[in-house]
Coordinates of all heavy atoms in Angstrom, one line a residue:
P26 N 69.6 129.4 109.4 CA 69.5 130.1 108.1 C 70.8 130.7 107.6 O 70.9 131.0 106.4 CB 68.4 131.1 108.3 CG 67.6 130.6 109.5 CD 68.6 130.0 110.4
S27 N 71.8 130.9 108.5 CA 73.0 131.5 108.1 C 74.0 130.5 107.5 O 75.2 130.9 107.2 CB 73.6 132.3 109.3 OG 74.1 131.4 110.2
Q28 N 73.7 129.3 107.3 CA 74.6 128.3 106.8 C 74.7 128.4 105.3 O 74.0 127.8 104.5 CB 74.1 126.9 107.2 CG 74.2 126.5 108.6 CD 75.7 126.3 109.0 OE1 76.5 125.7 108.2 NE2 76.1 126.7 110.1
V29 N 75.6 129.3 104.9 CA 75.8 129.6 103.5 C 76.2 128.4 102.6 O 75.7 128.2 101.5 CB 76.9 130.7 103.3 CG1 77.1 131.0 101.8 CG2 76.4 132.0 104.0
S30 N 77.0 127.5 103.2 CA 77.4 126.3 102.5 C 76.2 125.4 102.1 O 76.1 124.9 101.0 CB 78.4 125.4 103.3 OG 79.6 126.1 103.4
A31 N 75.2 125.3 103.0 CA 74.0 124.6 102.8 C 73.2 125.3 101.7 O 72.7 124.6 100.8 CB 73.2 124.4 104.0
S32 N 73.2 126.6 101.7 CA 72.4 127.3 100.7 C 73.1 127.1 99.3 O 72.4 126.9 98.3 CB 72.4 128.8 101.0 OG 71.8 129.1 102.2
H33 N 74.4 127.2 99.3 CA 75.1 127.0 98.0 C 74.8 125.6 97.4 O 74.6 125.5 96.2 CB 76.6 127.2 98.2 CG 77.4 127.3 97.0 ND1 78.8 127.5 97.0 CD2 77.0 127.3 95.7 CE1 79.2 127.5 95.7 NE2 78.2 127.4 94.9
R34 N 74.9 124.6 98.3 CA 74.7 123.2 97.8 C 73.3 123.0 97.4 O 73.0 122.3 96.4 CB 75.2 122.2 98.9 CG 76.6 122.3 99.2 CD 77.1 121.5 100.4 NE 78.4 121.8 100.8 CZ 79.0 121.2 101.8 NH1 78.5 120.1 102.4 NH2 80.3 121.6 102.2
L35 N 72.4 123.6 98.1 CA 71.0 123.5 97.8 C 70.7 124.1 96.4 O 69.9 123.6 95.6 CB 70.1 124.1 98.9 CG 68.6 124.0 98.7 CD1 68.1 122.5 98.6 CD2 67.9 124.7 99.9
A36 N 71.3 125.3 96.2 CA 71.1 126.0 94.9 C 71.7 125.1 93.8 O 71.0 125.0 92.7 CB 71.9 127.3 94.9
K37 N 72.8 124.4 94.0 CA 73.3 123.5 93.0 C 72.3 122.4 92.6 O 72.2 122.0 91.5 CB 74.7 122.9 93.4 CG 75.8 123.9 93.4 CD 77.1 123.2 93.8 CE 78.3 124.2 93.7 NZ 79.6 123.5 94.2
I38 N 71.7 121.9 93.7 CA 70.7 120.8 93.4 C 69.5 121.3 92.6 O 69.1 120.7 91.6 CB 70.2 120.3 94.8 CG1 71.3 119.5 95.5 CG2 68.9 119.4 94.6 CD1 70.9 119.0 96.9
Y39 N 69.1 122.5 92.9 CA 68.0 123.1 92.1 C 68.4 123.4 90.7 O 67.6 123.1 89.8 CB 67.5 124.4 92.8 CG 66.6 124.2 94.0 CD1 66.8 124.9 95.1 CD2 65.5 123.4 93.9 CE1 66.0 124.7 96.2 CE2 64.7 123.2 95.0 CZ 64.9 123.9 96.2 OH 64.1 123.7 97.3
L40 N 69.6 123.8 90.5 CA 70.1 124.0 89.1 C 70.2 122.6 88.4 O 69.8 122.6 87.2 CB 71.5 124.6 89.1 CG 71.5 126.1 89.4 CD1 73.0 126.6 89.6 CD2 70.8 126.9 88.3
A41 N 70.6 121.6 89.1 CA 70.7 120.3 88.4 C 69.3 119.8 88.1 O 69.1 119.0 87.1 CB 71.4 119.3 89.4
Q42 N 68.3 120.2 88.9 CA 66.9 119.8 88.6 C 66.2 120.8 87.7 O 65.0 120.8 87.5 CB 66.1 119.8 90.0 CG 66.6 118.7 90.9 CD 65.9 118.7 92.2 OE1 65.5 119.7 92.7 NE2 65.7 117.5 92.8
K43 N 67.0 121.7 87.1 CA 66.5 122.7 86.1 C 65.4 123.6 86.8 O 64.4 123.9 86.2 CB 66.0 122.0 84.9 CG 67.0 121.2 84.1 CD 66.5 120.7 82.8 CE 67.5 119.7 82.2 NZ 68.9 120.3 82.0
Q44 N 65.7 124.1 88.0 CA 64.9 125.0 88.7 C 65.7 126.2 89.1 O 65.9 126.5 90.3 CB 64.3 124.4 89.9 CG 63.4 123.1 89.6 CD 62.8 122.5 90.9 OE1 61.9 123.1 91.4 NE2 63.3 121.4 91.3
P45 N 66.1 127.0 88.1 CA 67.0 128.2 88.4 C 66.4 129.2 89.3 O 67.1 129.9 90.0 CB 67.3 128.7 87.0 CG 66.2 128.3 86.1 CD 65.8 126.9 86.7
D46 N 65.0 129.4 89.2 CA 64.4 130.4 90.0 C 64.5 130.0 91.5 O 64.7 130.9 92.3 CB 62.9 130.5 89.6 CG 62.7 131.1 88.2 OD1 63.6 131.7 87.7 OD2 61.6 131.0 87.7
K47 N 64.4 128.8 91.8 CA 64.5 128.3 93.2 C 66.0 128.5 93.7 O 66.2 128.9 94.8 CB 64.1 126.9 93.4 CG 62.6 126.7 93.3 CD 62.2 125.3 93.7 CE 60.7 125.1 93.7 NZ 60.2 123.7 94.1
A48 N 66.9 128.2 92.8 CA 68.3 128.3 93.1 C 68.6 129.8 93.4 O 69.3 130.1 94.4 CB 69.2 127.9 92.0
E49 N 68.1 130.7 92.6 CA 68.3 132.1 92.8 C 67.7 132.6 94.1 O 68.4 133.4 94.8 CB 67.7 132.9 91.6 CG 67.8 134.4 91.7 CD 67.2 135.2 90.6 OE1 66.4 134.6 89.8 OE2 67.4 136.4 90.5
Q50 N 66.5 132.1 94.4 CA 65.9 132.6 95.7 C 66.7 132.1 96.9 O 66.8 132.8 97.9 CB 64.5 132.0 95.7 CG 63.6 132.6 96.9 CD 63.6 134.1 96.8 OE1 63.2 134.7 95.8 NE2 64.0 134.8 97.9
V51 N 67.2 130.9 96.8 CA 68.0 130.3 97.9 C 69.2 131.2 98.2 O 69.5 131.5 99.3 CB 68.4 128.8 97.6 CG1 69.5 128.4 98.6 CG2 67.2 127.9 97.8
L52 N 69.9 131.6 97.1 CA 71.1 132.4 97.2 C 70.8 133.8 97.7 O 71.5 134.4 98.4 CB 71.9 132.4 95.9 CG 72.4 131.0 95.5 CD1 73.0 131.0 94.1 CD2 73.5 130.5 96.5
K53 N 69.7 134.3 97.2 CA 69.3 135.7 97.7 C 68.9 135.6 99.2 O 69.3 136.6 99.9 CB 68.0 136.1 96.9 CG 68.4 136.6 95.5 CD 67.1 137.2 94.8 CE 67.4 137.8 93.4 NZ 66.2 138.3 92.8
D54 N 68.3 134.6 99.6 CA 68.0 134.4 101.0 C 69.3 134.3 101.8 O 69.4 134.9 102.9 CB 67.1 133.2 101.3 CG 65.7 133.3 100.7 OD1 65.3 134.5 100.5 OD2 65.0 132.3 100.6
A55 N 70.3 133.6 101.3 CA 71.5 133.5 101.9 C 72.2 134.8 102.1 O 72.8 135.1 103.2 CB 72.4 132.5 101.2
L56 N 72.2 135.7 101.1 CA 72.8 137.0 101.2 C 72.0 137.9 102.2 O 72.6 138.7 102.8 CB 72.8 137.7 99.8 CG 74.0 137.3 98.9 CD1 73.8 138.0 97.5 CD2 75.3 137.9 99.5
Q57 N 70.7 137.7 102.2 CA 69.9 138.5 103.2 C 70.3 138.1 104.6 O 70.4 139.0 105.5 CB 68.5 138.3 102.9 CG 67.6 139.2 103.8 CD 66.1 139.0 103.5 OE1 65.7 138.1 102.7 NE2 65.2 139.8 104.1
K58 N 70.5 136.8 104.8 CA 70.8 136.3 106.2 C 72.3 136.6 106.6 O 72.6 136.8 107.7 CB 70.5 134.8 106.3 CG 69.1 134.4 106.1 CD 68.2 134.9 107.2 CE 66.8 134.4 107.0 NZ 65.8 135.0 108.0
T59 N 73.1 136.6 105.6 CA 74.6 136.8 105.8 C 75.1 137.8 104.8 O 75.8 137.5 103.9 CB 75.4 135.5 105.7 OG1 75.1 134.9 104.4 CG2 75.0 134.5 106.7
P60 N 74.8 139.1 105.1 CA 75.2 140.2 104.2 C 76.7 140.2 104.0 O 77.5 140.0 105.0 CB 74.7 141.4 104.9 CG 73.6 141.0 105.8 CD 74.0 139.6 106.2
G61 N 77.2 140.3 102.8 CA 78.6 140.4 102.6 C 79.3 139.0 102.4 O 80.5 138.9 102.3
S62 N 78.5 137.9 102.4 CA 79.1 136.6 102.3 C 79.7 136.5 100.9 O 79.0 136.5 99.9 CB 78.0 135.5 102.5 OG 78.5 134.3 102.1
S63 N 81.0 136.2 100.8 CA 81.7 136.1 99.5 C 81.2 134.8 98.8 O 81.0 134.8 97.6 CB 83.2 136.0 99.7 OG 83.6 135.0 100.5
E64 N 80.9 133.7 99.6 CA 80.5 132.5 98.9 C 79.1 132.7 98.3 O 78.9 132.2 97.1 CB 80.4 131.3 100.0 CG 80.1 130.0 99.4 CD 80.0 128.9 100.4 OE1 80.4 129.1 101.6 OE2 79.6 127.7 100.0
A65 N 78.2 133.3 99.0 CA 76.9 133.5 98.5 C 76.9 134.4 97.3 O 76.2 134.2 96.3 CB 75.9 134.0 99.5
T66 N 77.7 135.5 97.4 CA 77.8 136.5 96.3 C 78.4 135.8 95.0 O 77.9 136.0 93.9 CB 78.8 137.6 96.7 OG1 78.2 138.2 97.9 CG2 78.9 138.7 95.6
K67 N 79.5 135.1 95.2 CA 80.1 134.4 94.0 C 79.1 133.4 93.4 O 79.0 133.3 92.2 CB 81.3 133.7 94.4 CG 82.5 134.6 94.7 CD 83.7 133.8 95.2 CE 84.9 134.8 95.6 NZ 86.1 134.0 96.1
A68 N 78.4 132.7 94.2 CA 77.4 131.7 93.7 C 76.3 132.4 92.9 O 75.9 131.9 91.9 CB 76.9 130.9 94.9
L69 N 75.8 133.5 93.5 CA 74.7 134.2 92.8 C 75.2 134.8 91.5 O 74.5 134.8 90.5 CB 74.1 135.3 93.7 CG 72.9 136.0 93.2 CD1 71.7 134.9 93.0 CD2 72.4 137.0 94.3
F70 N 76.4 135.4 91.5 CA 77.0 135.9 90.3 C 77.2 134.9 89.3 O 76.9 135.0 88.1 CB 78.4 136.6 90.7 CG 79.0 137.2 89.5 CD1 78.5 138.4 88.9 CD2 80.2 136.7 89.0 CE1 79.1 139.0 87.8 CE2 80.8 137.4 87.9 CZ 80.3 138.5 87.3
G71 N 77.7 133.7 89.7 CA 77.9 132.6 88.7 C 76.5 132.1 88.1 O 76.5 131.7 87.0

């Protein structure tokens, strides 16, 4: 679950499928599993 790259890419897929709520949840889960992750933080901010 700490694979932030997989979370980021999965979130992009959900966005492409017009499912922003799922994308947000994936990135929130990533931040919970890896607190302080710059990649997850930037992706969620974006």
Side-chain angles (χ1 to χ4, degrees):
S27 69
Q28 288 290 320
V29 176
S30 291
S32 297
H33 191 182
R34 295 174 194 184
L35 183 58
K37 286 182 177 180
I38 289 173
Y39 282 132
L40 284 174
Q42 294 177 328
K43 302 187 184 305
Q44 300 182 71
D46 291 344
K47 287 187 176 181
E49 180 182 8
Q50 189 58 54
V51 166
L52 293 173
K53 283 182 175 179
D54 289 344
L56 273 175
Q57 185 178 5
K58 297 294 182 182
T59 56
S62 167
S63 59
E64 183 179 355
T66 302
K67 288 178 182 178
L69 189 58
F70 182 69

